[in-house]
Amino acid sequence: MKRRTFLEQSALAGAGLMLASHSALFSQSKKIHSMSNNIPSKGYAAKDASGKLSPWQFERRPVGDNDILIDIKYASICHSDIHQMKGDWGKQQYPQVPGHEIAGIVAAVGKNVTKFKVGDRAGVGCMVDSCMTCDSCTHGEEHYCDNNATIFTYGYPDKTSPSGISQGGYSNNIVVRDHFAVRIPDHIRLEEAAPLLCAGITTYSPLVNANFNIGDKVGVAGIGGLGHLAVKLAVSKGAEVYAFTTSPDKVKDILAFGAKEAIVVDDIAKLKPYKKKLDYMISTIPAQYDVAAYASVVKPRGHYTQVGMPVGFELTLSNIGLANSRVNFNASLIGGIPETQEVVHYCADNHILPQIQIIKAEEINDAWLKVMNKEARYRYVIDAATF
Protein backbone atom coordinates (compact mmCIF):
# COMPACT_ATOMS: atom_id res chain seq x y z
CA MET A 1 0.00 0.00 0.00
CA LYS A 2 1.36 3.41 -0.93
CA ARG A 3 2.20 5.68 1.97
CA ARG A 4 -0.28 8.40 0.93
CA THR A 5 -3.12 5.85 0.81
CA PHE A 6 -2.01 4.38 4.13
CA LEU A 7 -2.01 7.77 5.83
CA GLU A 8 -5.42 8.67 4.45
CA GLN A 9 -6.89 5.40 5.71
CA SER A 10 -5.07 5.67 9.04
CA ALA A 11 -6.59 9.09 9.62
CA LEU A 12 -10.03 7.47 9.46
CA ALA A 13 -9.15 4.51 11.66
CA GLY A 14 -9.23 4.36 15.47
CA ALA A 15 -10.98 3.10 18.53
CA GLY A 16 -14.77 3.53 18.86
CA LEU A 17 -16.51 5.68 21.44
CA MET A 18 -17.51 3.85 24.62
CA LEU A 19 -20.78 5.72 25.10
CA ALA A 20 -22.36 4.12 28.12
CA SER A 21 -19.38 3.79 30.42
CA HIS A 22 -17.99 7.24 29.70
CA SER A 23 -21.10 9.45 29.74
CA ALA A 24 -20.24 10.67 33.21
CA LEU A 25 -16.70 11.54 32.12
CA PHE A 26 -18.06 13.46 29.14
CA SER A 27 -20.28 15.53 31.44
CA GLN A 28 -17.27 16.17 33.63
CA SER A 29 -15.27 17.31 30.58
CA LYS A 30 -17.88 19.91 29.73
CA LYS A 31 -17.80 21.17 33.29
CA ILE A 32 -14.01 21.41 33.28
CA HIS A 33 -14.08 23.31 30.00
CA SER A 34 -16.84 25.74 30.90
CA MET A 35 -15.34 26.60 34.28
CA SER A 36 -11.86 27.05 32.77
CA ASN A 37 -10.21 25.52 35.80
CA ASN A 38 -6.61 24.43 35.93
CA ILE A 39 -6.28 20.64 36.04
CA PRO A 40 -4.66 19.16 39.19
CA SER A 41 -1.85 16.77 38.35
CA LYS A 42 0.67 14.68 40.23
CA GLY A 43 3.82 12.99 39.07
CA TYR A 44 7.57 12.73 39.54
CA ALA A 45 9.78 15.72 38.81
CA ALA A 46 13.42 16.71 38.81
CA LYS A 47 13.96 19.51 41.32
CA ASP A 48 17.58 20.13 40.31
CA ALA A 49 20.30 18.71 38.04
CA SER A 50 21.11 15.80 40.35
CA GLY A 51 19.33 13.28 38.16
CA LYS A 52 17.03 12.31 41.03
CA LEU A 53 13.25 12.57 40.80
CA SER A 54 10.69 12.94 43.56
CA PRO A 55 6.88 13.30 43.84
CA TRP A 56 5.44 16.67 42.85
CA GLN A 57 1.90 18.03 42.68
CA PHE A 58 1.26 20.71 40.08
CA GLU A 59 -1.38 22.03 37.68
CA ARG A 60 -2.06 21.69 33.98
CA ARG A 61 -3.79 24.40 31.95
CA PRO A 62 -7.57 24.17 31.51
CA VAL A 63 -8.93 22.13 28.62
CA GLY A 64 -9.08 24.67 25.79
CA ASP A 65 -11.27 24.61 22.70
CA ASN A 66 -8.69 22.59 20.73
CA ASP A 67 -7.36 20.50 23.62
CA ILE A 68 -7.90 17.06 25.03
CA LEU A 69 -7.27 15.82 28.56
CA ILE A 70 -5.64 12.40 28.70
CA ASP A 71 -5.67 10.20 31.77
CA ILE A 72 -2.20 8.72 31.47
CA LYS A 73 -2.01 4.97 31.97
CA TYR A 74 1.63 4.39 31.03
CA ALA A 75 4.73 6.51 30.42
CA SER A 76 8.03 4.99 29.39
CA ILE A 77 11.58 6.06 30.16
CA CYS A 78 13.83 7.43 27.42
CA HIS A 79 17.54 8.18 27.82
CA SER A 80 16.65 11.70 26.67
CA ASP A 81 14.72 12.20 29.92
CA ILE A 82 17.92 11.64 31.87
CA HIS A 83 20.08 13.85 29.65
CA GLN A 84 17.69 16.78 29.87
CA MET A 85 16.95 16.57 33.59
CA LYS A 86 20.69 16.47 34.36
CA GLY A 87 21.27 19.56 32.24
CA ASP A 88 23.38 17.70 29.67
CA TRP A 89 21.65 19.61 26.89
CA GLY A 90 21.63 23.02 28.57
CA LYS A 91 20.47 24.71 31.75
CA GLN A 92 16.98 23.65 32.84
CA GLN A 93 14.08 25.17 34.76
CA TYR A 94 12.90 23.13 37.74
CA PRO A 95 10.71 21.52 38.93
CA GLN A 96 10.36 19.68 35.64
CA VAL A 97 8.41 16.52 34.86
CA PRO A 98 10.07 14.45 32.11
CA GLY A 99 8.47 11.86 29.87
CA HIS A 100 7.56 11.91 26.17
CA GLU A 101 6.32 8.37 25.59
CA ILE A 102 2.77 8.64 26.87
CA ALA A 103 -0.30 6.41 26.45
CA GLY A 104 -3.71 6.76 28.04
CA ILE A 105 -7.43 7.39 27.70
CA VAL A 106 -9.12 10.63 26.63
CA ALA A 107 -11.06 12.01 29.62
CA ALA A 108 -12.20 15.39 28.25
CA VAL A 109 -12.33 17.27 24.95
CA GLY A 110 -12.57 20.93 23.94
CA LYS A 111 -15.56 22.15 21.95
CA ASN A 112 -13.67 22.29 18.62
CA VAL A 113 -12.19 18.79 18.88
CA THR A 114 -13.40 16.24 16.33
CA LYS A 115 -10.34 13.97 16.17
CA PHE A 116 -11.01 12.41 19.60
CA LYS A 117 -13.93 11.56 21.85
CA VAL A 118 -14.00 10.72 25.53
CA GLY A 119 -12.93 7.10 25.96
CA ASP A 120 -10.58 7.01 22.97
CA ARG A 121 -7.09 5.58 23.36
CA ALA A 122 -4.49 8.27 22.72
CA GLY A 123 -0.75 8.81 22.88
CA VAL A 124 1.59 11.80 23.09
CA GLY A 125 5.18 11.81 21.92
CA CYS A 126 7.96 14.37 21.87
CA MET A 127 6.01 17.55 21.06
CA VAL A 128 2.77 19.20 22.13
CA ASP A 129 2.43 22.32 19.94
CA SER A 130 3.86 24.35 17.06
CA CYS A 131 2.86 27.32 14.91
CA MET A 132 0.68 25.07 12.70
CA THR A 133 0.92 27.51 9.79
CA CYS A 134 4.43 27.31 8.30
CA ASP A 135 5.47 25.06 5.42
CA SER A 136 7.00 22.43 7.71
CA CYS A 137 4.02 22.31 10.05
CA THR A 138 1.49 22.03 7.23
CA HIS A 139 3.49 19.24 5.60
CA GLY A 140 3.70 16.93 8.59
CA GLU A 141 7.05 18.07 9.99
CA GLU A 142 5.94 19.99 13.05
CA HIS A 143 9.20 19.15 14.83
CA TYR A 144 11.03 21.32 12.27
CA CYS A 145 8.68 24.32 12.59
CA ASP A 146 10.04 27.13 10.40
CA ASN A 147 9.02 29.67 13.03
CA ASN A 148 10.85 27.84 15.82
CA ALA A 149 7.53 27.50 17.63
CA THR A 150 7.69 23.77 18.35
CA ILE A 151 6.97 23.13 22.02
CA PHE A 152 8.52 19.85 23.02
CA THR A 153 6.77 17.81 25.66
CA TYR A 154 8.76 18.92 28.68
CA GLY A 155 11.03 21.77 29.69
CA TYR A 156 10.14 24.19 26.89
CA PRO A 157 8.74 27.70 27.48
CA ASP A 158 4.96 27.46 27.30
CA LYS A 159 2.84 30.49 28.14
CA THR A 160 -0.23 28.27 28.55
CA SER A 161 1.39 26.20 31.31
CA PRO A 162 0.85 27.32 34.93
CA SER A 163 4.50 26.48 35.63
CA GLY A 164 5.76 28.43 32.60
CA ILE A 165 7.22 25.36 30.89
CA SER A 166 5.79 22.23 29.32
CA GLN A 167 5.54 19.34 31.78
CA GLY A 168 5.88 15.75 30.61
CA GLY A 169 4.35 12.35 31.04
CA TYR A 170 5.72 11.03 34.33
CA SER A 171 2.34 12.01 35.75
CA ASN A 172 -1.29 10.97 35.95
CA ASN A 173 -2.63 13.26 33.20
CA ILE A 174 -1.76 15.69 30.44
CA VAL A 175 -3.59 18.45 28.54
CA VAL A 176 -2.50 18.65 24.90
CA ARG A 177 -3.61 20.24 21.65
CA ASP A 178 -5.55 17.53 19.83
CA HIS A 179 -3.37 17.68 16.71
CA PHE A 180 -0.37 16.50 18.72
CA ALA A 181 -2.01 13.36 20.07
CA VAL A 182 -2.15 10.16 18.05
CA ARG A 183 -4.74 7.41 18.07
CA ILE A 184 -3.68 4.11 19.58
CA PRO A 185 -5.50 1.21 17.89
CA ASP A 186 -7.22 -1.48 19.91
CA HIS A 187 -4.87 -4.26 18.79
CA ILE A 188 -1.86 -3.03 20.74
CA ARG A 189 -1.59 -2.71 24.51
CA LEU A 190 -1.15 0.81 25.84
CA GLU A 191 2.03 -0.14 27.68
CA GLU A 192 3.53 -1.48 24.45
CA ALA A 193 2.39 1.52 22.42
CA ALA A 194 4.03 4.09 24.71
CA PRO A 195 7.66 3.49 23.60
CA LEU A 196 6.64 3.88 19.97
CA LEU A 197 5.96 7.59 20.58
CA CYS A 198 9.70 8.33 20.75
CA ALA A 199 11.87 5.23 20.34
CA GLY A 200 9.59 3.94 17.61
CA ILE A 201 9.27 7.09 15.52
CA THR A 202 12.90 8.14 16.02
CA THR A 203 14.12 4.93 14.37
CA TYR A 204 11.22 4.36 11.98
CA SER A 205 11.50 7.75 10.27
CA PRO A 206 15.13 7.45 9.08
CA LEU A 207 14.74 3.75 8.27
CA VAL A 208 11.73 4.41 6.03
CA ASN A 209 13.32 7.43 4.41
CA ALA A 210 16.53 5.48 3.73
CA ASN A 211 14.57 3.61 1.04
CA PHE A 212 16.69 0.47 1.32
CA ASN A 213 15.64 -2.59 -0.62
CA ILE A 214 14.58 -6.01 0.60
CA GLY A 215 17.76 -7.98 1.23
CA ASP A 216 19.94 -4.92 1.77
CA LYS A 217 22.42 -5.10 4.64
CA VAL A 218 21.43 -2.64 7.36
CA GLY A 219 23.48 -1.93 10.48
CA VAL A 220 22.18 -0.80 13.86
CA ALA A 221 24.68 0.58 16.37
CA GLY A 222 23.67 0.70 20.02
CA ILE A 223 21.04 -1.83 21.07
CA GLY A 224 19.03 -0.21 23.83
CA GLY A 225 15.53 1.25 23.90
CA LEU A 226 15.86 2.75 20.42
CA GLY A 227 18.25 0.22 18.94
CA HIS A 228 16.23 -2.89 19.70
CA LEU A 229 13.23 -1.34 17.93
CA ALA A 230 15.45 -0.32 15.01
CA VAL A 231 16.48 -3.96 14.62
CA LYS A 232 12.88 -5.16 14.66
CA LEU A 233 11.71 -2.47 12.25
CA ALA A 234 14.55 -3.03 9.77
CA VAL A 235 13.94 -6.78 9.84
CA SER A 236 10.23 -6.21 9.20
CA LYS A 237 11.14 -4.16 6.11
CA GLY A 238 13.14 -7.07 4.72
CA ALA A 239 16.66 -5.98 5.66
CA GLU A 240 19.51 -8.29 6.59
CA VAL A 241 20.39 -6.69 9.93
CA TYR A 242 23.79 -6.45 11.58
CA ALA A 243 23.61 -5.20 15.17
CA PHE A 244 26.61 -3.66 16.92
CA THR A 245 26.65 -3.61 20.72
CA THR A 246 29.12 -3.23 23.57
CA SER A 247 27.05 -5.58 25.78
CA PRO A 248 27.87 -9.28 25.28
CA ASP A 249 24.82 -10.34 27.31
CA LYS A 250 22.51 -8.80 24.67
CA VAL A 251 23.63 -11.09 21.84
CA LYS A 252 20.96 -13.75 22.42
CA ASP A 253 18.23 -11.12 22.54
CA ILE A 254 19.50 -9.40 19.39
CA LEU A 255 19.38 -12.62 17.40
CA ALA A 256 15.88 -13.26 18.73
CA PHE A 257 14.86 -9.84 17.42
CA GLY A 258 15.72 -11.13 13.95
CA ALA A 259 19.23 -9.81 13.34
CA LYS A 260 21.50 -11.91 11.12
CA GLU A 261 24.52 -11.10 13.27
CA ALA A 262 25.24 -9.49 16.65
CA ILE A 263 28.72 -8.01 16.82
CA VAL A 264 30.18 -7.23 20.24
CA VAL A 265 32.39 -4.18 19.81
CA ASP A 266 34.57 -4.50 22.91
CA ASP A 267 37.45 -3.37 20.71
CA ILE A 268 37.11 -1.02 17.73
CA ALA A 269 39.08 -3.58 15.71
CA LYS A 270 35.97 -5.80 15.76
CA LEU A 271 34.55 -3.49 13.08
CA LYS A 272 37.28 -4.22 10.52
CA PRO A 273 35.80 -7.47 9.10
CA TYR A 274 32.66 -5.51 8.18
CA LYS A 275 34.39 -2.69 6.31
CA LYS A 276 32.36 -1.56 3.26
CA LYS A 277 29.88 -4.40 3.80
CA LEU A 278 26.64 -2.61 4.69
CA ASP A 279 24.22 -0.62 2.54
CA TYR A 280 22.97 1.59 5.38
CA MET A 281 23.60 2.21 9.08
CA ILE A 282 21.65 3.85 11.90
CA SER A 283 23.32 4.72 15.19
CA THR A 284 21.36 5.19 18.41
CA ILE A 285 24.48 5.62 20.55
CA PRO A 286 23.81 8.63 22.89
CA ALA A 287 27.46 9.30 23.79
CA GLN A 288 30.82 10.14 22.26
CA TYR A 289 32.22 7.31 20.12
CA ASP A 290 34.38 6.72 17.06
CA VAL A 291 31.86 7.66 14.38
CA ALA A 292 34.29 7.25 11.49
CA ALA A 293 35.19 3.71 12.56
CA TYR A 294 31.54 2.70 12.66
CA ALA A 295 30.80 4.52 9.40
CA SER A 296 33.57 2.55 7.69
CA VAL A 297 31.35 -0.54 7.68
CA VAL A 298 29.03 1.19 5.18
CA LYS A 299 29.73 0.93 1.47
CA PRO A 300 31.24 4.00 -0.21
CA ARG A 301 28.56 6.61 -0.91
CA GLY A 302 26.16 4.78 1.36
CA HIS A 303 24.35 6.59 4.16
CA TYR A 304 24.88 6.64 7.93
CA THR A 305 22.27 8.24 10.21
CA GLN A 306 22.91 9.40 13.76
CA VAL A 307 19.84 9.54 16.03
CA GLY A 308 21.44 9.16 19.47
CA MET A 309 21.90 12.53 21.19
CA PRO A 310 25.04 12.84 23.35
CA VAL A 311 25.90 15.42 25.99
CA GLY A 312 25.73 18.91 24.53
CA PHE A 313 24.22 17.50 21.32
CA GLU A 314 27.81 17.30 20.05
CA LEU A 315 29.88 14.52 18.50
CA THR A 316 33.59 14.73 17.73
CA LEU A 317 34.15 13.46 14.21
CA SER A 318 37.28 12.46 12.35
CA ASN A 319 36.98 14.40 9.11
CA ILE A 320 39.71 12.39 7.43
CA GLY A 321 38.11 9.15 8.62
CA LEU A 322 34.76 10.08 7.09
CA ALA A 323 36.48 11.38 3.95
CA ASN A 324 38.30 8.10 3.47
CA SER A 325 35.13 6.05 3.89
CA ARG A 326 33.20 8.26 1.41
CA VAL A 327 30.08 7.64 3.53
CA ASN A 328 27.29 10.23 3.66
CA PHE A 329 26.85 11.11 7.33
CA ASN A 330 23.54 12.65 8.43
CA ALA A 331 21.42 13.06 11.54
CA SER A 332 17.71 12.73 12.22
CA LEU A 333 15.32 13.98 14.86
CA ILE A 334 11.97 12.32 15.59
CA GLY A 335 9.17 12.45 12.99
CA GLY A 336 6.08 14.53 12.40
CA ILE A 337 2.60 13.71 13.64
CA PRO A 338 1.44 11.90 10.44
CA GLU A 339 4.53 9.70 10.47
CA THR A 340 4.15 9.07 14.22
CA GLN A 341 0.58 7.92 13.62
CA GLU A 342 1.91 5.73 10.82
CA VAL A 343 4.48 3.94 12.97
CA VAL A 344 1.93 3.20 15.70
CA HIS A 345 -0.40 1.54 13.18
CA TYR A 346 2.49 -0.21 11.41
CA CYS A 347 3.78 -1.74 14.63
CA ALA A 348 0.30 -2.72 15.81
CA ASP A 349 -0.57 -4.30 12.45
CA ASN A 350 2.72 -6.18 12.16
CA HIS A 351 3.11 -7.09 15.85
CA ILE A 352 6.41 -5.20 16.16
CA LEU A 353 6.48 -4.57 19.88
CA PRO A 354 9.09 -3.17 22.25
CA GLN A 355 10.47 -5.42 24.96
CA ILE A 356 9.32 -3.73 28.14
CA GLN A 357 9.52 -3.92 31.92
CA ILE A 358 6.66 -2.40 33.92
CA ILE A 359 7.75 -0.48 37.01
CA LYS A 360 6.13 1.60 39.74
CA ALA A 361 6.79 5.32 40.16
CA GLU A 362 8.91 4.66 43.23
CA GLU A 363 11.30 2.63 41.04
CA ILE A 364 12.04 5.43 38.57
CA ASN A 365 15.35 6.51 40.08
CA ASP A 366 16.63 2.94 40.17
CA ALA A 367 15.50 2.46 36.57
CA TRP A 368 17.38 5.59 35.50
CA LEU A 369 20.58 4.19 36.98
CA LYS A 370 20.05 0.96 35.08
CA VAL A 371 19.49 2.84 31.83
CA MET A 372 22.76 4.72 32.32
CA ASN A 373 24.53 1.45 33.15
CA LYS A 374 23.12 -0.29 30.03
CA GLU A 375 21.12 -2.70 32.17
CA ALA A 376 17.65 -1.92 30.76
CA ARG A 377 15.99 -4.73 28.81
CA TYR A 378 14.88 -2.74 26.88
CA ARG A 379 12.31 -0.11 27.83
CA TYR A 380 11.10 0.68 31.33
CA VAL A 381 7.40 1.59 31.33
CA ILE A 382 5.90 3.35 34.36
CA ASP A 383 2.45 2.36 35.58
CA ALA A 384 0.86 5.80 35.97
CA ALA A 385 -1.58 4.44 38.56
CA THR A 386 1.35 4.47 41.00
CA PHE A 387 1.98 8.24 40.85
Side-chain angles (χ1 to χ4, degrees), residues 220-361:
V220 179
I223 313 301
L226 273 69
H228 89 290
L229 276 172
V231 170
K232 291 186 174 189
L233 287 165
V235 168
S236 78
K237 294 290 185 180
E240 185 177 283
V241 176
Y242 294 76
F244 299 85
T245 181
T246 56
S247 303
D249 60 340
K250 291 183 179 179
V251 168
K252 185 177 179 180
D253 287 341
I254 291 168
L255 297 176
F257 297 151
K260 180 178 177 62
E261 287 189 37
I263 301 97
V264 179
V265 190
D266 50 10
D267 187 314
I268 210 72
K270 296 290 183 68
L271 296 170
K272 290 183 179 179
Y274 300 89
K275 187 175 182 180
K276 300 181 181 181
K277 184 173 183 177
L278 308 186
D279 297 289
Y280 174 72
M281 180 83 138
I282 180 173
S283 170
T284 72
I285 300 171
Q288 291 291 337
Y289 69 105
D290 192 336
V291 176
Y294 276 80
S296 71
V297 306
V298 179
K299 294 175 182 178
R301 296 179 179 83
H303 290 78
Y304 184 104
T305 302
Q306 178 70 30
V307 297
M309 296 289 178
V311 173
F313 297 121
E314 294 181 352
L315 281 173
T316 300
L317 304 176
S318 168
N319 191 56
I320 189 63
L322 285 174
N324 284 334
S325 70
R326 291 167 288 167
V327 169
N328 295 294
F329 178 86
N330 63 87
S332 179
L333 201 54
I334 44 173
I337 295 301
E339 200 170 40
T340 303
Q341 185 68 75
E342 181 181 333
V343 70
V344 172
H345 279 289
Y346 180 82
C347 289
D349 292 347
N350 294 281
H351 203 64
I352 301 166
L353 306 175
Q355 186 166 316
I356 64 174
Q357 299 177 69
I358 305 293
I359 64 169
K360 298 178 180 179

Side-chain angles (χ1 to χ4, degrees), residues 51 79 82 86 365 367-376:
H79 205 140
I82 302 170
K86 290 171 67 70
N365 288 314
W368 274 27
L369 288 174
K370 289 178 179 177
V371 170
M372 290 186 286
N373 292 330
K374 303 180 183 180
E375 297 173 17

Side-chain angles (χ1 to χ4, degrees), residues 34-366:
S34 63
M35 294 180 64
S36 299
N37 292 329
N38 283 348
I39 308 297
S41 186
K42 59 181 179 179
Y44 267 54
K47 310 294 177 57
D48 52 39
S50 66
K52 299 290 184 182
L53 303 188
S54 58
W56 184 47
Q57 295 189 20
F58 61 106
E59 292 185 336
R60 305 280 189 181
R61 70 169 181 263
V63 179
D65 292 348
N66 301 303
D67 292 336
I68 63 173
L69 169 66
I70 299 174
D71 283 341
I72 298 173
K73 299 302 180 184
Y74 296 97
S76 42
I77 293 174
C78 179
H79 205 140
S80 297
D81 303 337
I82 302 170
H83 272 311
Q84 185 157 324
M85 294 309 104
K86 290 171 67 70
D88 291 345
W89 295 341
K91 188 176 180 180
Q92 298 298 310
Q93 177 178 323
Y94 303 102
Q96 186 176 150
V97 177
H100 55 205
E101 295 181 342
I102 303 162
I105 305 295
V106 177
V109 299
K111 68 178 183 180
N112 295 337
V113 175
T114 58
K115 182 179 176 182
F116 293 97
K117 295 181 178 65
V118 171
D120 283 349
R121 307 165 94 235
V124 178
C126 298
M127 53 184 165
V128 293
D129 210 346
S130 70
C131 83
M132 297 289 290
T133 59
C134 71
D135 188 66
S136 290
C137 288
T138 56
H139 287 80
E141 293 197 316
E142 302 89 344
H143 51 311
Y144 293 123
C145 177
D146 301 332
N147 293 317
N148 296 316
T150 304
I151 298 178
F152 291 94
T153 307
Y154 54 84
Y156 274 69
D158 181 2
K159 62 183 180 182
T160 71
S161 171
S163 64
I165 58 172
S166 53
Q167 299 289 354
Y170 289 17
S171 59
N172 66 326
N173 58 33
I174 189 169
V175 177
V176 62
R177 188 169 181 169
D178 63 338
H179 177 84
F180 290 86
V182 300
R183 285 185 171 277
I184 297 177
D186 290 334
H187 53 297
I188 184 172
R189 293 190 298 161
L190 290 176
E191 57 266 44
E192 292 173 325
L196 303 179
L197 280 304
C198 175
I201 183 58
T202 300
T203 51
Y204 180 83
S205 183
L207 285 169
V208 168
N209 287 290
N211 292 317
F212 57 80
N213 298 312
I214 292 175
D216 278 359
K217 295 177 173 61
V218 171
V220 179
I223 313 301
L226 273 69
H228 89 290
L229 276 172
V231 170
K232 291 186 174 189
L233 287 165
V235 168
S236 78
K237 294 290 185 180
E240 185 177 283
V241 176
Y242 294 76
F244 299 85
T245 181
T246 56
S247 303
D249 60 340
K250 291 183 179 179
V251 168
K252 185 177 179 180
D253 287 341
I254 291 168
L255 297 176
F257 297 151
K260 180 178 177 62
E261 287 189 37
I263 301 97
V264 179
V265 190
D266 50 10
D267 187 314
I268 210 72
K270 296 290 183 68
L271 296 170
K272 290 183 179 179
Y274 300 89
K275 187 175 182 180
K276 300 181 181 181
K277 184 173 183 177
L278 308 186
D279 297 289
Y280 174 72
M281 180 83 138
I282 180 173
S283 170
T284 72
I285 300 171
Q288 291 291 337
Y289 69 105
D290 192 336
V291 176
Y294 276 80
S296 71
V297 306
V298 179
K299 294 175 182 178
R301 296 179 179 83
H303 290 78
Y304 184 104
T305 302
Q306 178 70 30
V307 297
M309 296 289 178
V311 173
F313 297 121
E314 294 181 352
L315 281 173
T316 300
L317 304 176
S318 168
N319 191 56
I320 189 63
L322 285 174
N324 284 334
S325 70
R326 291 167 288 167
V327 169
N328 295 294
F329 178 86
N330 63 87
S332 179
L333 201 54
I334 44 173
I337 295 301
E339 200 170 40
T340 303
Q341 185 68 75
E342 181 181 333
V343 70
V344 172
H345 279 289
Y346 180 82
C347 289
D349 292 347
N350 294 281
H351 203 64
I352 301 166
L353 306 175
Q355 186 166 316
I356 64 174
Q357 299 177 69
I358 305 293
I359 64 169
K360 298 178 180 179
E362 64 191 33
E363 300 175 274
I364 291 172
N365 288 314
D366 181 59

